[in-house]
Amino acid sequence: MEYDAFVPEPGRAARLAAEAAAAPPGGPLYGVPVGVKDIIHVDGLPTRAGSALPPEALAGPQATVVDRLRAAGALVAGKTVTAEFAMTAPGPTRNPRNPAHTPGGSSSGSAAAVAAGLVPLAVGTQTVGSVIRPAAYCGIVGFKPTYGRIPADGVIPNAPSLDTVGLFAPDTAGVARAAAVLCDDWRPVAVQPPPPVLGIPVGPYLERAGAEALDAFHDQVQRLRSAGFAMREVPALADFDAVARQLFVLNRYEAARSHAAWFPRYGHLYREQTAATVRQGLVFDHCDHVRASRERELLRDRLLDAMAARHAIDLWLAPSATGPAPLGLHTTGDGIMCLPWSYAGLPSLSLPAGRAANGLPLGLQLVARPCADELLLAWAASLSSRLSLSPM
């Protein structure tokens, strides 16, 4: 069962055979089949972005992330299903842990393809919660690097000042192997760093998680304490509702501008959820955008100040999502637990972290300082080795 993770592609086997024959031997990803979210341009494959628009209207040059994958010897297994234009209108993909539930989104196909064992690596994007949340729902590792660390050219934009190319793999080793190829200026961690000091963002943000997610989170925190990790409770995000409002303004304003050329011509082909997002953005003006951008910088400064000067923590810990994957395919779930970290452009990673009562996976989210992606992955491997994180 493929769980509708991949966009249908006539002649896929023949294309892959030709691509394998042409792949440069000896590359760090030689022969690795990779799923690529269908908002990312790949030479030889149409980009539809989960929409009914003609692919020629969306066409563009191959994305740098795909250039790097192919140069490293990876094979593009195919385009993975996305919510329409990486927004909220879901595609047909089902959760491999339970096909009656959503896999999350908008990188739904990428997460499901890895969770189902169809590919060992997939590429997605995150504007708010579109890598971390589906990784948690599907019980795999999801990595959203520092904003801009993987080039986003050749990616159909949602909100360009937030859109971040990210990765899915079954474990942290798979993510680290790909990140070293795809991230700009990667500096391998030669020696295992000292254990991180972990911070719990106490306050209204953490209270957005549901009971099952919080129970699992507290259990994982206790496990880490017992393993000897230093843990500090940090009052944070007291103005979380205001932060969420400003991200909404930034996201919607930029989404409307990203579709300024397509929506007037093809608006009748947009699904209602996507059309509503574009229309919401038209309400906001340049001054609203400037204000939301300024608030983003202030939020980042506050979070970094809390990490460095006042509390000396290395990683924030939080639930990856408000709970397990919701029942049904009509929604991709709630990305609120990813919101402040995405807004601030910080690197984050989701580890599988136990199961809900219905057996579905839950996730533990780790968040580091900007450009500390290498340390984040090294620490994630260390934390996962001290926890029982297998979801199934």
Side-chain angles (χ1 to χ4, degrees):
M1 181 179 288
E2 293 193 5
Y3 305 100
D4 294 316
F6 280 96
V7 176
E9 180 195 340
R12 190 192 308 272
R15 178 188 61 79
L16 275 171
E19 193 163 326
L29 297 177
Y30 179 68
V32 175
V34 183
V36 178
K37 185 176 181 178
D38 191 28
I39 61 165
I40 300 172
H41 292 310
V42 176
D43 285 351
L45 294 175
T47 300
R48 293 185 171 86
S51 76
L53 272 66
E56 56 271 21
L58 304 176
Q62 178 165 280
T64 292
V65 65
V66 180
D67 291 341
R68 292 180 181 181
L69 284 167
R70 284 178 158 166
L75 309 177
V76 176
K79 290 294 199 76
T80 53
V81 172
T82 176
E84 188 178 39
F85 288 114
M87 296 185 190
T88 58
T93 310
R94 293 165 286 158
N95 192 319
R97 306 302 183 185
N98 185 327
H101 291 251
T102 178
S106 60
S107 304
S108 49
S110 292
V114 171
L118 302 176
V119 289
L121 178 67
V123 181
T125 63
Q126 177 158 311
T127 303
V128 179
S130 295
V131 169
I132 298 300
R133 181 173 80 259
Y137 285 174
C138 292
I140 58 174
V141 175
F143 171 54
K144 185 202 79 70
T146 301
Y147 171 75
R149 191 80 193 267
I150 299 177
D153 63 288
V155 179
I156 291 178
N158 178 343
S161 70
L162 298 169
D163 296 343
T164 305
V165 178
L167 305 171
F168 299 90
D171 52 34
T172 57
V175 167
R177 182 183 177 195
V181 170
L182 301 178
C183 290
D184 285 340
D185 303 317
W186 191 260
R187 299 173 297 278
V189 177
V191 179
Q192 181 64 34
V197 177
L198 306 175
I200 302 172
V202 177
Y205 157 72
L206 195 58
E207 293 163 5
R208 290 294 190 99
E212 285 191 289
L214 283 174
D215 286 346
F217 177 67
H218 293 315
D219 176 64
Q220 300 301 340
V221 165
Q222 186 54 49
R223 288 172 183 252
L224 292 171
R225 277 201 180 103
S226 299
F229 286 91
M231 196 81 61
R232 296 178 182 169
E233 293 189 349
V234 182
L237 299 166
D239 60 342
F240 183 63
D241 287 344
V243 168
R245 283 195 299 273
Q246 289 302 314
L247 178 134
F248 179 88
V249 171
L250 187 72
N251 189 345
R252 295 302 192 267
Y253 176 92
E254 293 189 3
R257 276 69 194 172
S258 294
H259 287 260
W262 297 317
F263 192 66
R265 183 175 181 184
Y266 299 110
H268 63 289
L269 298 177
Y270 281 55
R271 293 171 66 181
E272 182 50 42
Q273 289 159 277
T274 312
T277 294
V278 173
R279 293 189 187 103
Q280 286 166 348
L282 296 173
V283 172
F284 303 116
D285 61 21
H286 175 71
C287 291
D288 295 321
H289 184 255
V290 168
R291 188 178 305 110
S293 300
R294 185 182 305 118
E295 290 298 323
R296 180 189 192 190
E297 299 299 325
L298 293 173
L299 171 65
R300 183 186 296 117
D301 290 345
R302 292 202 311 273
L303 291 172
L304 295 181
D305 178 64
M307 295 182 80
R310 290 189 287 133
H311 299 283
I313 64 172
D314 298 304
L315 292 177
W316 295 103
L317 294 186
S320 298
T322 56
L327 179 65
L329 303 182
H330 59 284
T331 176
T332 60
D334 189 347
I336 198 75
M337 302 312 296
C338 307
L339 186 149
W341 323 117
S342 293
Y343 191 22
L346 305 185
S348 56
L349 184 141
S350 181
L351 291 172
R355 286 182 282 175
N358 62 5
L360 288 174
L362 297 166
L364 176 66
Q365 186 173 196
L366 318 178
V367 184
R369 293 180 179 85
C371 295
D373 305 74
E374 296 89 342
L375 284 171
L376 172 60
L377 287 170
W379 281 325
S382 175
L383 267 63
S384 65
S385 70
R386 291 163 171 79
L387 295 168
S388 176
L389 294 172
S390 176
M392 302 299 287

